Amino acid sequence: MKEKKKMSLLLKLVIAIVLGIVVGFVTPGMGAFGEVIIRIGATYNSIFGNFLNFVIPLIIIGFVAPGIADLGAGAGKTLAATTGVAYGSTIISGTLAFVVASLLYPHMVHAGMFMENAEETVLSGYFTIEMPAIMGVMTALLMAFILGLGMAVIKGSTMKTVMNEFAEIIDKLVSNIVIPLLPFHVYGIFAKLAYAGTIVEIMGSFIKVFAMILVLHWVIIVFQYTVAGSAAKKNPFALIKNMLPAYTTAIGTQS
């Protein structure tokens, strides 16, 4: 019996956006009931958004620390080289993005359109649940580096086993909870914007900006993989093909 093919995250997000816009346009004519529908979605958005902020530091520690530890005795040198390449790539990407944004975006986006967060001007949820993160993102990153390098240096097995199991827990959390619930979060955002009547103006500019972002993504990706493929003597486009699932997940979650 053939295994049923799962719908990709990107397709789910597109469906969520379309459904959210449709619901947002229809509900104003439904009076108080329509407002209830939007506010239920807004309540979910608030809770899920707080949950994401709580989970992000755990994701960083759970994935980065074991990864560095797995590099072994040469983790320090490898990490330094990787960090140098990453920051060099970031500078190149950031410079390109800045130049393109300076030249093109003033013609794409109306002045003052995004001076205020549109999501905060529409209906709010019925309640929210505060979920403060146990640490900031930079603190989590530094903690992951320290733990990863420490495990690589002392070559102990106890801490490494704990961190590997923690990584498995985080992996299950992301794959079974965060990603499946993400489309509902996106639906709620677009339903609120459509209900408030700001979606048409925002989407006009959003589509142009997002298209430019995708073009920049692929310019940078092709450049990076061409350099890496040349160094490793491998076909860069074959390497890109292998990474497409990761790319679609990353763009779907805007990570």
Side-chain angles (χ1 to χ4, degrees):
M1 188 171 163
K2 260 190 174 181
E3 190 180 342
K4 215 173 184 181
K5 195 174 180 182
K6 290 183 179 179
M7 188 184 299
S8 70
L9 175 62
L10 195 57
L11 180 57
K12 288 180 182 177
L13 293 175
V14 170
I15 293 172
I17 290 171
V18 173
L19 184 61
I21 292 173
V22 171
V23 170
F25 278 138
V26 170
T27 45
M30 300 169 67
F33 180 68
E35 183 176 322
V36 168
I37 292 174
I38 300 300
R39 292 193 68 183
I40 288 173
T43 304
Y44 174 85
N45 285 151
S46 175
I47 295 172
F48 185 77
N50 289 342
F51 178 69
L52 275 182
N53 290 332
F54 173 79
V55 167
I56 286 171
L58 303 181
I59 293 174
I60 293 171
I61 294 174
F63 289 158
V64 175
I68 294 174
D70 287 339
L71 295 175
K77 293 178 182 178
T78 306
L79 179 61
T82 303
T83 303
V85 171
Y87 273 99
S89 173
T90 300
I91 291 170
I92 293 171
S93 303
T95 302
L96 177 62
F98 176 77
V99 171
V100 171
S102 300
L103 293 175
L104 299 182
Y105 286 176
H107 305 290
M108 294 181 177
V109 182
H110 299 301
M113 177 181 290
F114 301 115
M115 290 293 286
E116 189 176 13
N117 187 347
E119 291 177 44
E120 295 174 0
T121 65
V122 295
L123 290 177
S124 59
Y126 287 107
F127 64 91
T128 188
I129 301 174
E130 293 299 326
M131 304 178 199
I134 58 175
M135 63 183 73
V137 170
M138 185 54 69
T139 303
L141 194 57
L142 290 172
M143 180 71 77
F145 282 173
I146 292 170
L147 289 174
L149 288 171
M151 288 185 287
V153 170
I154 65 173
K155 298 178 183 177
S157 60
T158 304
M159 188 67 178
K160 197 170 180 182
T161 300
V162 170
M163 290 307 300
N164 284 337
E165 290 183 357
F166 180 67
E168 287 182 30
I169 292 171
I170 297 301
D171 182 60
K172 295 290 184 185
L173 176 67
V174 172
S175 58
N176 295 336
I177 297 178
V178 175
I179 290 180
L181 294 179
L182 185 65
F184 298 101
H185 182 59
V186 173
Y187 153 80
I189 291 172
F190 279 87
K192 284 193 299 180
L193 294 175
Y195 182 87
T198 58
I199 193 70
V200 175
E201 184 181 8
I202 289 175
M203 283 300 292
S205 293
F206 174 79
I207 290 171
K208 289 183 284 187
V209 170
F210 193 66
M212 183 56 64
I213 289 171
L214 291 180
V215 171
L216 288 174
H217 277 183
W218 283 99
V219 168
I220 290 296
I221 286 171
V222 171
F223 169 73
Q224 289 174 332
Y225 276 80
T226 299
V227 172
S230 300
K233 296 181 180 177
K234 293 184 178 180
N235 184 344
F237 294 100
L239 299 176
I240 290 174
K241 184 180 178 182
N242 290 336
M243 288 302 294
L244 281 178
Y247 173 76
T248 55
T249 300
I251 197 172
T253 56
Q254 289 299 283
S255 59

